[in-house]
Amino acid sequence: MPVPKPMRSRRAPYDVAGRWALITGGSSGLGEAVAHELARRGANLILVAHDPSKLAAAADLVRRTYPDVDVTTHALDLADRDARSRLLETLGQGPQVDIVVNNAGVDWTGPFVTQTQTHLSELVNLNVGAVAQFSKHYAREMAERGEGVILNMTSLGGLFPLPYHAAYGGSKAYILSMTEALAYELHGTGVNITAAAPGPVRTQLFERGGMRPIRWRERLYYRDRGWVVCRVVEAALDGRRLIVPGLFERFLAFGGRLIPRFLQTWIAREIVRGVPITPAE
Ligand SMILES: NC(=O)c1ccc[n+]([C@@H]2O[C@H](COP(=O)([O-])OP(=O)(O)OC[C@H]3O[C@@H](n4cnc5c(N)ncnc54)[C@H](OP(=O)(O)O)[C@@H]3O)[C@@H](O)[C@H]2O)c1
């Protein structure tokens, strides 16, 4: 009698109910949507962002929507390394953090040579510095206890050079490469680390960075944040190393590798092309 083959067992998704999730940039856009998705699944939340009033409003909305979930907030500048270190110290005295979502980011747009040094430093310290510091801190802690989930928000733009978002694209390439390498190092430790690389999503990111998307491009290419976040959170809890939500985005991400780099650069530029917002607006 032939011996039946054992069923290929897919690892069960990480159960977040009753656990604590730290979400940077949890007060708006993708971070806020991740907060709601994790709260819906029963996780308690630690929301971190810069603006205290926006943060308080975001936390209140989660509490009203999911009354069984605990939500705490920390308002600080995540681009400031000392402030980040103080936050990690404070959080170390609280409940165990099992899910970390490194999401806060800025995208100062425009010609690279006209960027102010203040904006460039903020971008690098936030988009790269905070993600590296928190990934290192929590990956070590989680590996020691043999479980945990880290979700690092990179971008489809991390796969291509992004003219007029040059520093942003570079920071996202850093996160993507670091996260995938770290996933390799963490294999077998029980820690899931995922890089999420969405294409353009309707949030405040671009306006804050000084650019308004062109209407028809926005309608054609920009995704709804709820749709993106559902896929991203599911992938992270399933332990996938990389998630590029959307068929068109996956076609660009993987098909794009087959065409010359200058053409990739041109396509990326066309997709995120926008209109600069003048200071008076
Ligand atoms: N939107 C897209 O098309 C897109 C596509 C791919 C990837 N992403 C990535 O998704 C992430 C979230 O972006 P989003 O589109 O949701 O942007 P968003 O709506 O502008 O949200 C950014 C979040 O980051 C926080 N933040 C910004 N600077 C901070 C600082 N110095 N210290 C602490 N918190 C800070 C903001 O809080 P405050 O308001 O308090 O500053 C806000 O909560 C980013 O990493 C972005 O690169 C976005």
Side-chain angles (χ1 to χ4, degrees), residues 24-31 48-52 54 76-79 102-106 122 126-127 153-156 168 172 197-206 208 222:
T24 71
S27 64
S28 73
L30 290 169
V48 183
H50 203 186
D51 179 333
K54 261 177 68 184
L76 66 139
D77 182 2
L78 282 165
N102 285 307
N103 161 81
V106 286
E122 182 201 4
L126 177 68
N127 294 17
M153 201 62 84
T154 169
S155 163
L156 191 58
Y168 175 78
K172 294 294 160 179
V201 185
R202 282 179 207 96
T203 67
Q204 295 161 12
L205 184 79
F206 299 111
R208 276 165 166 253
Y222 284 55

Side-chain angles (χ1 to χ4, degrees), residues 17 32 69 82 86 89 116 127 130 148 166-167 190 227 235-236 263 265 267 274:
E32 187 183 23
V69 158
D82 294 335
R86 284 195 297 275
E89 230 178 276
T116 67
N127 294 17
W227 184 89
L263 213 51
T265 311
I267 293 172

Side-chain angles (χ1 to χ4, degrees), residues 76-178:
L76 66 139
D77 182 2
L78 282 165
D80 176 341
R81 185 158 65 100
D82 294 335
R84 294 199 302 264
S85 299
R86 284 195 297 275
L87 172 71
L88 291 178
E89 230 178 276
T90 308
L91 295 179
Q93 284 148 28
Q96 178 176 299
V97 175
D98 288 312
I99 304 112
V100 173
V101 183
N102 285 307
N103 161 81
V106 286
D107 176 8
W108 294 112
T109 59
F112 185 77
V113 293
T114 65
Q115 303 270 307
T116 67
Q117 192 50 47
T118 310
H119 280 172
L120 266 184
S121 301
E122 182 201 4
L123 190 150
V124 172
N125 292 333
L126 177 68
N127 294 17
V128 173
V131 180
Q133 185 178 6
F134 286 10
S135 295
K136 184 202 142 178
H137 180 91
Y138 284 107
R140 189 155 86 175
E141 244 189 52
M142 289 173 181
E144 273 166 17
R145 56 174 193 268
E147 62 159 12
V149 172
I150 301 175
L151 168 59
N152 287 344
M153 201 62 84
T154 169
S155 163
L156 191 58
L159 287 149
F160 308 104
L162 270 189
Y164 305 101
H165 303 253
Y168 175 78
S171 72
K172 294 294 160 179
Y174 174 96
I175 299 174
L176 182 61
S177 175
M178 186 202 76

